[in-house]
Amino acid sequence: MITVTQAGPVPRHTVPQQRGEFQLAAAVRYTEERHWDVCAGTWLETVGGTEHCSCGDLGCASPGAHPAGADWAGLATGSAAAVRRMWTEHPGACVLLPTGRAFDVLDVPESAGFLALARMERLGLPLGPVTRTPDRRMCFFVLPGAADKAAGLARELGWSADAIGLVGRGTGHYVVAPPTRVGGRGAVQWARRPSQANRWLPDAVELISPLAYACGRDAADARTRLS
């Protein structure tokens, strides 16, 4: 980390070099190995010994882990060379993956996600990559189109997607990818890493039943604890 002395002015941007290198390496790998589009987002700046989001909002809800501007989707690219230029300009930027292109995601509470993941593995269901975030959510990567039909599929099984915390993210949305760190809360991680074995993504209909069941059970448990 860059050390600022009292002898000179405090720079606006101070970014841990190693963190930026990790995020750049991951972003390049996503483009080259998975052919995913990638966009550089905001980053964490250290000013006077305190980390802040580069957006300038001291109360930022996702410090260092959201788009840097309204045009983020248009800037997302599958070119490794373009990705390297992005991180040359903004070392330490978070890694954003647009949904609705190579994949959508089914976003669920973490406790429900782990329950569903264990059940899916027991049943031998096809699985794509899965992330877990510091705000205790898990994102299951599925084929594009899932976001438009997730709520309807859950309703057919007797569940309200809104009530159980199951969210489909498609066109116009994004996921924050590992190894991005969200302020002081921790880093986004892979619960199931991208690999050759999960290159082919499942359709939402293949995962919706265990996910909806797990989310419903988790929501019921939460209500019981509060009663």
Side-chain angles (χ1 to χ4, degrees):
M1 183 178 293
I2 298 174
T3 302
V4 180
T5 66
Q6 296 300 317
V10 176
R12 172 169 168 73
H13 305 300
T14 57
V15 179
Q17 182 177 2
Q18 189 176 44
R19 187 191 312 154
E21 291 172 353
F22 286 154
Q23 292 177 181
L24 170 58
V28 169
R29 188 165 61 251
Y30 299 147
T31 62
E32 293 183 334
E33 297 181 6
R34 302 296 292 209
H35 305 294
W36 290 341
D37 284 356
V38 172
C39 182
T42 54
W43 55 92
L44 293 170
E45 299 174 346
T46 301
V47 179
T50 303
E51 283 190 326
H52 301 288
C53 184
S54 63
C55 71
D57 180 2
L58 297 182
C60 180
S62 299
H66 62 85
D71 59 344
W72 67 270
L75 296 174
T77 177
S79 163
V83 165
R84 290 187 178 94
R85 287 194 294 271
M86 285 184 185
W87 266 265
T88 297
E89 185 176 352
H90 297 298
C94 69
V95 184
L96 305 179
L97 305 176
T99 50
R101 300 185 185 185
F103 58 84
D104 281 5
V105 301
L106 297 176
D107 181 343
V108 302
E110 182 183 75
S111 52
F114 277 119
L115 176 64
L117 191 57
R119 188 179 183 197
M120 291 172 187
E121 290 174 340
R122 285 197 306 271
L123 295 173
L125 295 180
L127 281 165
V130 182
T131 64
R132 55 184 299 206
T133 68
D135 59 351
R136 301 183 66 81
R137 303 285 297 183
M138 290 178 72
C139 292
F140 289 72
F141 286 47
V142 292
L143 289 173
D148 293 334
K149 56 188 179 184
L153 290 171
R155 189 164 53 249
E156 290 175 7
L157 295 169
W159 303 98
S160 164
D162 289 341
I164 61 177
L166 191 158
V167 180
R169 301 196 182 279
T171 303
H173 295 272
Y174 62 89
V175 290
V176 181
T180 298
R181 187 161 65 86
V182 185
R185 302 175 206 163
V188 181
Q189 302 175 25
W190 289 112
R192 282 181 63 93
R193 293 180 176 275
S195 69
Q196 191 62 36
N198 60 29
R199 181 171 293 277
W200 302 106
L201 300 177
D203 189 80
V205 71
E206 298 176 271
L207 304 187
I208 197 69
S209 180
L211 281 173
Y213 170 79
C215 287
R217 177 174 165 178
D218 185 64
D221 288 347
R223 288 193 296 272
T224 300
R225 289 193 297 270
L226 292 174
S227 62

